[in-house]
Amino acid sequence: MTDEWFYQHSGRVYGPVSLRDLQTAIWLRFALPTDLVRHRVTAGWAAAETFAELQIPQQREGSEDVKNNAR
C-alpha cells in the first residue's frame, strides 16, 4: 500500500498510518508540524510542515469565508 506514513514524536516512531490518520494526528496536536515524517515510498525523513498534504489549513482574517460568516 502506498498510503503508509511514519512519524517521529517525543523520541518514538509511529506507523504505518494512513495519510488521513497522520493529518488528524497533526490537526489534533498528537504530532507537531516540526515532527519528522516519511512516506513509505520515500527514503528520508523531513518535517511534516514540508509536505503540502500535511499542512494545516489556516483561515486568514479578512478572507472571504470570514467575511461571509460575519454577515
Side-chain angles (χ1 to χ4, degrees):
M1 178 178 210
T2 59
D3 192 28
E4 293 179 337
W5 292 79
F6 295 84
Y7 68 98
Q8 297 180 30
H9 180 74
S10 297
R12 295 190 63 194
V13 176
Y14 298 88
V17 297
S18 70
L19 175 60
R20 171 160 273 164
D21 288 345
L22 181 53
Q23 289 169 330
T24 300
I26 292 170
W27 294 337
L28 295 176
R29 308 291 286 170
F30 294 128
L32 303 174
T34 54
D35 285 343
L36 296 177
V37 300
R38 77 175 179 91
H39 191 263
R40 182 175 284 289
V41 298
T42 62
W45 293 89
E49 62 195 3
T50 63
F51 292 88
E53 60 266 55
L54 297 176
Q55 292 181 1
I56 299 172
Q58 300 288 327
Q59 266 195 343
R60 295 181 304 139
E61 265 188 63
S63 72
E64 288 301 313
D65 290 338
V66 173
K67 288 178 187 174
N68 288 336
N69 288 337
R71 291 184 190 157

